[in-house]
Structure formats: C-alpha cells, structure tokens
Amino acid sequence: MINGLRTSAVESAIALADIYHGRGTTYLHTDNPLSSNRTVSPAANPTGAVVPAISLATTFKQSTPGEPTARDDPNSFGMGYEYSRTGNPTRGVFERAVAAAEKAEYCVAFSSGSAATSAVIHLLSPGERVLSIDDVYGGTQRYFRRIVNPRMGIDVDFVDFSDNSAVLSKILNAEGKTKLLWLETPTNPLLKVTD
C-alpha cells in the first residue's frame, strides 16, 4: 500500500499515463500516431510544439493552379492544402490524434452532426435501406423523411431499438436491403438508452 492505495492501482495509473501506452497522452503525441503504419519524421513538427498551432487560413498558396501545397505534411493525408473546407493543418492534427487514441487507421472530423450524417448517408445507394432508432434527433429525422427517402431513393424505417424483435423483424423483412443501422444513445428528446 502506498498512501492508502494498493500498489497495483498506482502502477495501473502510471501505466495509463505512459506516453507510449496511455490514451490520455496519445491525443497529444501524434508525431508518429498509433493509427498509421507510415513513418513520420520529426520534420513534421519542426518546432517541437506540444500544442499544435491553429491554422486560421482559408486559402493556401498553390505553386501552380490546381496544385495543392504541402502534400508531404502528414496532417494533409497526402492531399495537400488548397481551401480550409477540403482540409487544413489544424483539422488534420485533430483527426490524426483521435485516430491514434482510438487505435484506428483514420478519422474524419466534421463541423456539424448534419454534415457527418450527410456524408454517411451518401455511402448508400438508391434502393438500400436505413433502420433508424425511432427517437432520432429531429433534424436527422426530417432529413431522412424529406431528403434521403424521396430525393435519394433510400428507404428509412424508424423502430424502437429497445424492442429486439421489432428490430430483427425490420432487418429480416427488408430482404438484405438494410445497409445501415442509425443509432443515437441517449436519444433526443426522450433520452432513450440503447445498450
């Protein structure tokens, strides 16, 4: 016991703080993220700054028209920079840090939930089906009913996800067309929790 704590608990806390193993510090140390098998040189962070700089630029200089700058910046994922809406160093650092913390290959960040919803839905094709929780956020529900279904030809069913038989029935009756389960927990506004 150290100061009333079991030694194993202290050792566990130290292990979690270790920059090579702990999630908390993984967000900060992204020079060589766990999410990538690419080797990133120290030149990617020439200043050694612990907190990444915030890039306020909206437009980036191009050596020739249509040729993005800084394709070698690991935060651009090889795409370089042209306009902030397609990518910028600040968002790239954030995406790499989240991917590293989650031990994922990539992360994509959006400026709003609606933008993320639209991007995910655009992975589907006409005739495919979404099975959504019945108490989905109102803006998402309207988007599904007013845009996704009538204009994109993607069917959306709403079901109470706490009723396993109803969920299974909707999936089986869709004859293999259900390609996405849309789940929010807790829901808004009824705070339903799906586990």
Side-chain angles (χ1 to χ4, degrees):
M1 304 269 292
I2 300 174
N3 295 332
L5 295 174
R6 290 189 330 245
T7 306
S8 62
V10 173
E11 290 171 352
S12 176
I14 291 169
L16 290 174
D18 180 346
I19 65 168
Y20 299 105
H21 301 96
R23 177 177 282 193
T25 56
T26 302
Y27 287 106
L28 299 175
H29 301 279
T30 58
D31 283 349
N32 193 358
L34 299 173
S35 65
S36 176
N37 55 15
R38 288 178 244 135
T39 302
V40 180
S41 72
N45 183 4
T47 67
V50 175
V51 177
I54 295 175
S55 173
L56 301 177
T58 58
T59 306
F60 298 87
K61 181 179 178 181
Q62 299 176 6
S63 57
T64 59
E67 186 60 37
T69 189
R71 286 186 187 268
D72 59 341
D73 181 347
N75 296 319
S76 80
F77 302 96
M79 302 298 291
Y81 304 110
E82 51 188 357
Y83 302 106
S84 275
R85 66 181 165 264
T86 60
N88 75 30
T90 305
R91 189 167 70 234
V93 167
F94 173 74
E95 290 170 339
R96 289 178 67 231
V98 172
E102 295 295 326
K103 294 183 171 76
E105 188 68 26
Y106 300 101
C107 168
V108 181
F110 295 90
S111 61
S112 72
S114 293
T117 299
S118 177
V120 169
I121 291 298
H122 276 83
L123 295 172
L124 302 177
S125 299
E128 294 181 333
R129 182 175 295 275
V130 175
L131 185 57
S132 174
I133 192 163
D134 60 349
D135 187 36
V136 70
Y137 166 66
T140 301
Q141 178 261 116
R142 285 187 296 281
Y143 174 65
F144 285 169
R145 291 183 193 273
R146 296 178 185 174
I147 306 294
V148 172
N149 180 259
R151 295 186 182 175
M152 297 174 69
I154 297 169
D155 294 319
V156 181
D157 289 319
F158 297 91
V159 67
D160 181 355
F161 275 37
S162 67
D163 183 348
N164 290 340
S165 63
V167 172
L168 186 58
S169 174
K170 287 284 188 183
I171 292 171
L172 293 176
N173 289 335
E175 300 173 352
K177 292 183 180 181
T178 301
K179 301 299 180 186
L180 177 64
L181 298 179
W182 194 271
L183 172 65
E184 299 172 2
T185 187
T187 63
N188 178 1
L190 299 180
L191 299 176
K192 291 181 181 180
V193 175
T194 300
D195 185 14

PDB file of all heavy atoms in Angstrom, residues 22-49:
ATOM      1  N   GLY A  22      -0.659   5.014 -22.863  1.00  0.00           N
ATOM      2  CA  GLY A  22      -1.871   5.622 -22.318  1.00  0.00           C
ATOM      3  C   GLY A  22      -2.664   6.412 -23.334  1.00  0.00           C
ATOM      4  O   GLY A  22      -2.101   7.143 -24.142  1.00  0.00           O
ATOM      5  N   ARG A  23      -3.981   6.306 -23.292  1.00  0.00           N
ATOM      6  CA  ARG A  23      -4.850   7.015 -24.220  1.00  0.00           C
ATOM      7  C   ARG A  23      -4.794   8.515 -23.995  1.00  0.00           C
ATOM      8  O   ARG A  23      -4.786   9.293 -24.926  1.00  0.00           O
ATOM      9  CB  ARG A  23      -6.281   6.516 -24.059  1.00  0.00           C
ATOM     10  CG  ARG A  23      -7.258   7.262 -24.930  1.00  0.00           C
ATOM     11  CD  ARG A  23      -8.633   6.722 -24.806  1.00  0.00           C
ATOM     12  NE  ARG A  23      -8.718   5.514 -25.582  1.00  0.00           N
ATOM     13  CZ  ARG A  23      -9.835   4.911 -25.887  1.00  0.00           C
ATOM     14  NH1 ARG A  23     -10.973   5.386 -25.453  1.00  0.00           N
ATOM     15  NH2 ARG A  23      -9.843   3.824 -26.596  1.00  0.00           N
ATOM     16  N   GLY A  24      -4.735   8.940 -22.720  1.00  0.00           N
ATOM     17  CA  GLY A  24      -4.763  10.368 -22.409  1.00  0.00           C
ATOM     18  C   GLY A  24      -3.655  11.146 -23.080  1.00  0.00           C
ATOM     19  O   GLY A  24      -3.859  12.265 -23.547  1.00  0.00           O
ATOM     20  N   THR A  25      -2.462  10.577 -23.149  1.00  0.00           N
ATOM     21  CA  THR A  25      -1.360  11.293 -23.780  1.00  0.00           C
ATOM     22  C   THR A  25      -1.259  11.012 -25.272  1.00  0.00           C
ATOM     23  O   THR A  25      -0.585  11.738 -25.988  1.00  0.00           O
ATOM     24  CB  THR A  25      -0.029  10.961 -23.082  1.00  0.00           C
ATOM     25  OG1 THR A  25       0.136   9.544 -23.102  1.00  0.00           O
ATOM     26  CG2 THR A  25      -0.004  11.470 -21.668  1.00  0.00           C
ATOM     27  N   THR A  26      -1.931  10.005 -25.743  1.00  0.00           N
ATOM     28  CA  THR A  26      -1.898   9.707 -27.171  1.00  0.00           C
ATOM     29  C   THR A  26      -2.480  10.869 -27.969  1.00  0.00           C
ATOM     30  O   THR A  26      -2.037  11.161 -29.074  1.00  0.00           O
ATOM     31  CB  THR A  26      -2.692   8.415 -27.474  1.00  0.00           C
ATOM     32  OG1 THR A  26      -2.118   7.359 -26.723  1.00  0.00           O
ATOM     33  CG2 THR A  26      -2.631   8.064 -28.951  1.00  0.00           C
ATOM     34  N   TYR A  27      -3.476  11.564 -27.406  1.00  0.00           N
ATOM     35  CA  TYR A  27      -4.061  12.708 -28.104  1.00  0.00           C
ATOM     36  C   TYR A  27      -3.009  13.781 -28.375  1.00  0.00           C
ATOM     37  O   TYR A  27      -3.089  14.499 -29.356  1.00  0.00           O
ATOM     38  CB  TYR A  27      -5.192  13.327 -27.271  1.00  0.00           C
ATOM     39  CG  TYR A  27      -6.442  12.507 -27.240  1.00  0.00           C
ATOM     40  CD1 TYR A  27      -6.790  11.787 -26.104  1.00  0.00           C
ATOM     41  CD2 TYR A  27      -7.287  12.463 -28.335  1.00  0.00           C
ATOM     42  CE1 TYR A  27      -7.955  11.037 -26.069  1.00  0.00           C
ATOM     43  CE2 TYR A  27      -8.443  11.714 -28.311  1.00  0.00           C
ATOM     44  CZ  TYR A  27      -8.772  11.007 -27.173  1.00  0.00           C
ATOM     45  OH  TYR A  27      -9.921  10.272 -27.148  1.00  0.00           O
ATOM     46  N   LEU A  28      -2.030  13.898 -27.492  1.00  0.00           N
ATOM     47  CA  LEU A  28      -1.039  14.953 -27.630  1.00  0.00           C
ATOM     48  C   LEU A  28       0.147  14.569 -28.490  1.00  0.00           C
ATOM     49  O   LEU A  28       0.720  15.398 -29.178  1.00  0.00           O
ATOM     50  CB  LEU A  28      -0.519  15.360 -26.241  1.00  0.00           C
ATOM     51  CG  LEU A  28      -1.557  15.905 -25.282  1.00  0.00           C
ATOM     52  CD1 LEU A  28      -0.926  16.136 -23.922  1.00  0.00           C
ATOM     53  CD2 LEU A  28      -2.171  17.181 -25.819  1.00  0.00           C
ATOM     54  N   HIS A  29       0.548  13.320 -28.435  1.00  0.00           N
ATOM     55  CA  HIS A  29       1.775  12.888 -29.096  1.00  0.00           C
ATOM     56  C   HIS A  29       1.442  12.186 -30.409  1.00  0.00           C
ATOM     57  O   HIS A  29       1.353  10.976 -30.466  1.00  0.00           O
ATOM     58  CB  HIS A  29       2.572  11.967 -28.170  1.00  0.00           C
ATOM     59  CG  HIS A  29       2.932  12.644 -26.890  1.00  0.00           C
ATOM     60  ND1 HIS A  29       3.999  13.497 -26.785  1.00  0.00           N
ATOM     61  CD2 HIS A  29       2.352  12.630 -25.672  1.00  0.00           C
ATOM     62  CE1 HIS A  29       4.070  13.965 -25.562  1.00  0.00           C
ATOM     63  NE2 HIS A  29       3.083  13.452 -24.863  1.00  0.00           N
ATOM     64  N   THR A  30       1.279  12.980 -31.458  1.00  0.00           N
ATOM     65  CA  THR A  30       0.854  12.415 -32.735  1.00  0.00           C
ATOM     66  C   THR A  30       1.914  12.488 -33.820  1.00  0.00           C
ATOM     67  O   THR A  30       1.611  12.344 -34.980  1.00  0.00           O
ATOM     68  CB  THR A  30      -0.419  13.117 -33.248  1.00  0.00           C
ATOM     69  OG1 THR A  30      -0.136  14.512 -33.363  1.00  0.00           O
ATOM     70  CG2 THR A  30      -1.582  12.874 -32.333  1.00  0.00           C
ATOM     71  N   ASP A  31       3.181  12.739 -33.447  1.00  0.00           N
ATOM     72  CA  ASP A  31       4.227  12.770 -34.473  1.00  0.00           C
ATOM     73  C   ASP A  31       4.298  11.442 -35.221  1.00  0.00           C
ATOM     74  O   ASP A  31       4.550  11.383 -36.401  1.00  0.00           O
ATOM     75  CB  ASP A  31       5.595  13.057 -33.852  1.00  0.00           C
ATOM     76  CG  ASP A  31       5.750  14.534 -33.519  1.00  0.00           C
ATOM     77  OD1 ASP A  31       4.897  15.330 -33.959  1.00  0.00           O
ATOM     78  OD2 ASP A  31       6.706  14.873 -32.818  1.00  0.00           O
ATOM     79  N   ASN A  32       4.080  10.352 -34.520  1.00  0.00           N
ATOM     80  CA  ASN A  32       4.079   9.026 -35.122  1.00  0.00           C
ATOM     81  C   ASN A  32       2.892   8.264 -34.537  1.00  0.00           C
ATOM     82  O   ASN A  32       3.043   7.444 -33.651  1.00  0.00           O
ATOM     83  CB  ASN A  32       5.396   8.301 -34.832  1.00  0.00           C
ATOM     84  CG  ASN A  32       5.552   7.066 -35.696  1.00  0.00           C
ATOM     85  OD1 ASN A  32       4.666   6.733 -36.477  1.00  0.00           O
ATOM     86  ND2 ASN A  32       6.657   6.378 -35.543  1.00  0.00           N
ATOM     87  N   PRO A  33       1.674   8.575 -35.008  1.00  0.00           N
ATOM     88  CA  PRO A  33       0.476   8.036 -34.371  1.00  0.00           C
ATOM     89  C   PRO A  33       0.365   6.524 -34.462  1.00  0.00           C
ATOM     90  O   PRO A  33       0.830   5.912 -35.411  1.00  0.00           O
ATOM     91  CB  PRO A  33      -0.657   8.709 -35.146  1.00  0.00           C
ATOM     92  CG  PRO A  33      -0.063   9.023 -36.475  1.00  0.00           C
ATOM     93  CD  PRO A  33       1.386   9.337 -36.206  1.00  0.00           C
ATOM     94  N   LEU A  34      -0.278   5.966 -33.457  1.00  0.00           N
ATOM     95  CA  LEU A  34      -0.518   4.529 -33.441  1.00  0.00           C
ATOM     96  C   LEU A  34      -1.434   4.108 -34.581  1.00  0.00           C
ATOM     97  O   LEU A  34      -1.495   2.944 -34.938  1.00  0.00           O
ATOM     98  CB  LEU A  34      -1.159   4.130 -32.109  1.00  0.00           C
ATOM     99  CG  LEU A  34      -0.342   4.418 -30.860  1.00  0.00           C
ATOM    100  CD1 LEU A  34      -1.185   4.127 -29.631  1.00  0.00           C
ATOM    101  CD2 LEU A  34       0.916   3.580 -30.855  1.00  0.00           C
ATOM    102  N   SER A  35      -2.149   5.072 -35.158  1.00  0.00           N
ATOM    103  CA  SER A  35      -3.150   4.753 -36.166  1.00  0.00           C
ATOM    104  C   SER A  35      -2.555   4.482 -37.540  1.00  0.00           C
ATOM    105  O   SER A  35      -3.267   4.088 -38.432  1.00  0.00           O
ATOM    106  CB  SER A  35      -4.133   5.913 -36.289  1.00  0.00           C
ATOM    107  OG  SER A  35      -3.473   7.057 -36.779  1.00  0.00           O
ATOM    108  N   SER A  36      -1.291   4.722 -37.707  1.00  0.00           N
ATOM    109  CA  SER A  36      -0.753   4.661 -39.059  1.00  0.00           C
ATOM    110  C   SER A  36       0.506   3.806 -39.101  1.00  0.00           C
ATOM    111  O   SER A  36       1.299   3.807 -38.178  1.00  0.00           O
ATOM    112  CB  SER A  36      -0.427   6.076 -39.533  1.00  0.00           C
ATOM    113  OG  SER A  36       0.184   6.035 -40.786  1.00  0.00           O
ATOM    114  N   ASN A  37       0.684   3.113 -40.191  1.00  0.00           N
ATOM    115  CA  ASN A  37       1.924   2.362 -40.349  1.00  0.00           C
ATOM    116  C   ASN A  37       2.953   3.202 -41.112  1.00  0.00           C
ATOM    117  O   ASN A  37       4.031   2.755 -41.394  1.00  0.00           O
ATOM    118  CB  ASN A  37       1.671   1.028 -41.057  1.00  0.00           C
ATOM    119  CG  ASN A  37       0.973   1.204 -42.385  1.00  0.00           C
ATOM    120  OD1 ASN A  37       0.906   2.300 -42.930  1.00  0.00           O
ATOM    121  ND2 ASN A  37       0.439   0.115 -42.910  1.00  0.00           N
ATOM    122  N   ARG A  38       2.582   4.432 -41.458  1.00  0.00           N
ATOM    123  CA  ARG A  38       3.505   5.337 -42.135  1.00  0.00           C
ATOM    124  C   ARG A  38       4.527   5.865 -41.140  1.00  0.00           C
ATOM    125  O   ARG A  38       4.206   6.149 -40.004  1.00  0.00           O
ATOM    126  CB  ARG A  38       2.745   6.523 -42.727  1.00  0.00           C
ATOM    127  CG  ARG A  38       1.925   6.138 -43.937  1.00  0.00           C
ATOM    128  CD  ARG A  38       1.161   7.335 -44.431  1.00  0.00           C
ATOM    129  NE  ARG A  38      -0.236   6.997 -44.268  1.00  0.00           N
ATOM    130  CZ  ARG A  38      -1.147   7.786 -43.769  1.00  0.00           C
ATOM    131  NH1 ARG A  38      -0.857   8.975 -43.355  1.00  0.00           N
ATOM    132  NH2 ARG A  38      -2.387   7.398 -43.674  1.00  0.00           N
ATOM    133  N   THR A  39       5.741   6.049 -41.579  1.00  0.00           N
ATOM    134  CA  THR A  39       6.763   6.643 -40.723  1.00  0.00           C
ATOM    135  C   THR A  39       6.729   8.141 -40.936  1.00  0.00           C
ATOM    136  O   THR A  39       6.811   8.620 -42.069  1.00  0.00           O
ATOM    137  CB  THR A  39       8.152   6.091 -41.083  1.00  0.00           C
ATOM    138  OG1 THR A  39       8.106   4.676 -40.933  1.00  0.00           O
ATOM    139  CG2 THR A  39       9.211   6.681 -40.180  1.00  0.00           C
ATOM    140  N   VAL A  40       6.605   8.885 -39.847  1.00  0.00           N
ATOM    141  CA  VAL A  40       6.553  10.337 -39.918  1.00  0.00           C
ATOM    142  C   VAL A  40       7.813  10.868 -39.272  1.00  0.00           C
ATOM    143  O   VAL A  40       8.130  10.536 -38.138  1.00  0.00           O
ATOM    144  CB  VAL A  40       5.302  10.883 -39.189  1.00  0.00           C
ATOM    145  CG1 VAL A  40       5.267  12.392 -39.267  1.00  0.00           C
ATOM    146  CG2 VAL A  40       4.046  10.289 -39.798  1.00  0.00           C
ATOM    147  N   SER A  41       8.540  11.702 -39.989  1.00  0.00           N
ATOM    148  CA  SER A  41       9.803  12.217 -39.475  1.00  0.00           C
ATOM    149  C   SER A  41       9.552  13.346 -38.484  1.00  0.00           C
ATOM    150  O   SER A  41       8.495  13.976 -38.499  1.00  0.00           O
ATOM    151  CB  SER A  41      10.644  12.738 -40.634  1.00  0.00           C
ATOM    152  OG  SER A  41      10.083  13.939 -41.119  1.00  0.00           O
ATOM    153  N   PRO A  42      10.548  13.633 -37.636  1.00  0.00           N
ATOM    154  CA  PRO A  42      10.431  14.768 -36.719  1.00  0.00           C
ATOM    155  C   PRO A  42      10.237  16.083 -37.456  1.00  0.00           C
ATOM    156  O   PRO A  42       9.777  17.052 -36.883  1.00  0.00           O
ATOM    157  CB  PRO A  42      11.751  14.746 -35.956  1.00  0.00           C
ATOM    158  CG  PRO A  42      12.230  13.343 -36.063  1.00  0.00           C
ATOM    159  CD  PRO A  42      11.745  12.851 -37.400  1.00  0.00           C
ATOM    160  N   ALA A  43      10.566  16.129 -38.747  1.00  0.00           N
ATOM    161  CA  ALA A  43      10.374  17.352 -39.530  1.00  0.00           C
ATOM    162  C   ALA A  43       8.902  17.730 -39.626  1.00  0.00           C
ATOM    163  O   ALA A  43       8.562  18.864 -39.924  1.00  0.00           O
ATOM    164  CB  ALA A  43      10.958  17.177 -40.923  1.00  0.00           C
ATOM    165  N   ALA A  44       7.997  16.777 -39.342  1.00  0.00           N
ATOM    166  CA  ALA A  44       6.568  17.075 -39.386  1.00  0.00           C
ATOM    167  C   ALA A  44       6.192  18.071 -38.296  1.00  0.00           C
ATOM    168  O   ALA A  44       5.183  18.748 -38.406  1.00  0.00           O
ATOM    169  CB  ALA A  44       5.761  15.790 -39.212  1.00  0.00           C
ATOM    170  N   ASN A  45       7.003  18.166 -37.258  1.00  0.00           N
ATOM    171  CA  ASN A  45       6.780  19.128 -36.188  1.00  0.00           C
ATOM    172  C   ASN A  45       8.121  19.787 -35.882  1.00  0.00           C
ATOM    173  O   ASN A  45       8.736  19.515 -34.858  1.00  0.00           O
ATOM    174  CB  ASN A  45       6.209  18.428 -34.951  1.00  0.00           C
ATOM    175  CG  ASN A  45       5.894  19.406 -33.833  1.00  0.00           C
ATOM    176  OD1 ASN A  45       6.031  20.617 -33.985  1.00  0.00           O
ATOM    177  ND2 ASN A  45       5.489  18.878 -32.697  1.00  0.00           N
ATOM    178  N   PRO A  46       8.605  20.652 -36.777  1.00  0.00           N
ATOM    179  CA  PRO A  46       9.952  21.202 -36.631  1.00  0.00           C
ATOM    180  C   PRO A  46      10.128  22.051 -35.377  1.00  0.00           C
ATOM    181  O   PRO A  46      11.229  22.181 -34.878  1.00  0.00           O
ATOM    182  CB  PRO A  46      10.151  22.027 -37.906  1.00  0.00           C
ATOM    183  CG  PRO A  46       8.784  22.348 -38.378  1.00  0.00           C
ATOM    184  CD  PRO A  46       7.923  21.186 -37.944  1.00  0.00           C
ATOM    185  N   THR A  47       9.063  22.642 -34.848  1.00  0.00           N
ATOM    186  CA  THR A  47       9.193  23.489 -33.660  1.00  0.00           C
ATOM    187  C   THR A  47       9.206  22.685 -32.374  1.00  0.00           C
ATOM    188  O   THR A  47       9.626  23.175 -31.341  1.00  0.00           O
ATOM    189  CB  THR A  47       8.029  24.489 -33.571  1.00  0.00           C
ATOM    190  OG1 THR A  47       6.811  23.759 -33.336  1.00  0.00           O
ATOM    191  CG2 THR A  47       7.900  25.324 -34.829  1.00  0.00           C
ATOM    192  N   GLY A  48       8.675  21.450 -32.420  1.00  0.00           N
ATOM    193  CA  GLY A  48       8.568  20.650 -31.206  1.00  0.00           C
ATOM    194  C   GLY A  48       7.435  21.098 -30.305  1.00  0.00           C
ATOM    195  O   GLY A  48       7.350  20.683 -29.153  1.00  0.00           O
ATOM    196  N   ALA A  49       6.561  21.949 -30.807  1.00  0.00           N
ATOM    197  CA  ALA A  49       5.439  22.444 -30.006  1.00  0.00           C
ATOM    198  C   ALA A  49       4.581  21.276 -29.535  1.00  0.00           C
ATOM    199  O   ALA A  49       4.281  20.366 -30.306  1.00  0.00           O
ATOM    200  CB  ALA A  49       4.594  23.413 -30.820  1.00  0.00           C
TER     201      ALA A  49
END
